[in-house]
Amino acid sequence: QKQSQFLVILFFSVLILAVFTINYVSNRLIIRPLKDVHNMVKDFARGKIRAPRQLPVDSRDEIADLGASFQQMTVDLQRTTVSKNYVDNIIKSMSDSLIVTTPRAVIKTVNQTTLDLLGYTEDQLLEKHISMILVENHDEQTLFSPGGFSEFLERGLVRNVEKTFVSKSGNHIPILFSGSV
């Protein structure tokens, strides 16, 4: 009787120790590394392109290898990616007029030169169709009519086409238009 009680207690003690050991090992070797990779992916998706903390690398550990590969990709991308602020500063400081539109010719970005030239504020132009400020005569090649814009998107580039801007005050300003997709 005493011996069987001892064996039952020993069995449950070993079982509890095994559960804690398995939990510790699986948490350390599987769950935590997967959580680290998950957090790296979430940060990356939010635009946080920064080198994550150094992950242990073991060639026999596929999860650590996955984490290390993702980390290396993040570091490589960080080296080759220019920040949005950097690009925005270049656009804003250009001396030529620059307008960025969606594929449907809806204005998404304009630089200060465009605003100064046309007399609009940024809020007055953003989310408006480019035809609000760009006049196209029917006798010339139309870029922003549905058919012309589709053709422009297919070609991907147009250079030195004579067009006309219309300022807020109604003045017509001849321009030499170049654009790319």
Side-chain angles (χ1 to χ4, degrees):
Q1 179 77 8
K2 237 179 185 191
Q3 188 177 11
S4 65
Q5 272 185 336
F6 175 74
L7 288 175
V8 169
I9 291 172
L10 180 64
F11 172 76
F12 281 111
S13 298
V14 169
L15 183 63
I16 290 171
L17 181 63
V19 167
F20 281 118
T21 303
I22 290 170
N23 184 44
Y24 174 77
V25 169
S26 67
N27 192 25
R28 184 160 168 81
L29 296 178
I30 298 172
I31 296 170
R32 194 178 311 150
L34 282 175
K35 194 172 190 174
D36 288 343
V37 170
H38 173 75
N39 289 335
M40 281 191 291
V41 172
K42 273 179 38 180
D43 286 347
F44 188 79
R46 290 186 192 128
K48 294 179 185 175
I49 303 174
R50 61 173 184 251
R53 67 176 180 79
Q54 189 64 36
L55 297 174
V57 179
D58 180 355
S59 61
R60 297 168 294 159
D61 184 354
E62 291 87 4
I63 295 171
D65 193 36
L66 172 67
S69 295
F70 191 82
Q71 180 181 26
Q72 187 59 50
M73 180 190 75
T74 303
V75 169
D76 291 345
L77 188 61
Q78 187 178 28
R79 282 190 203 128
T80 59
T81 302
V82 177
S83 76
K84 182 182 180 323
N85 290 338
Y86 181 74
V87 173
D88 286 346
N89 286 336
I90 290 172
I91 289 171
K92 287 178 182 174
S93 66
M94 288 178 63
S95 60
D96 287 334
S97 176
L98 181 95
I99 302 169
V100 178
T101 70
T102 67
R104 297 189 186 276
V106 174
I107 299 171
K108 286 309 218 181
T109 303
V110 293
N111 68 349
Q112 190 61 46
T113 302
T114 305
L115 299 174
D116 293 342
L117 178 68
L118 300 177
Y120 286 98
T121 65
E122 190 174 39
D123 290 339
Q124 292 171 320
L125 292 180
L126 294 182
E127 302 302 322
K128 305 294 189 295
H129 194 273
I130 197 162
S131 61
M132 176 181 165
I133 57 172
L134 190 90
V135 175
E136 294 189 289
N137 297 326
H138 296 293
D139 59 336
E140 64 184 7
Q141 177 190 7
T142 58
L143 289 174
F144 298 102
S145 65
F149 200 64
S150 297
E151 188 179 318
F152 169 56
L153 289 174
E154 285 177 27
R155 278 193 319 248
L157 180 68
V158 67
R159 288 189 188 183
N160 300 326
V161 178
E162 292 182 15
K163 296 288 175 195
T164 303
F165 271 155
V166 177
S167 70
K168 185 177 181 179
S169 63
N171 292 330
H172 285 230
I173 304 165
I175 62 166
L176 203 53
F177 177 86
S178 294
S180 67
V181 177

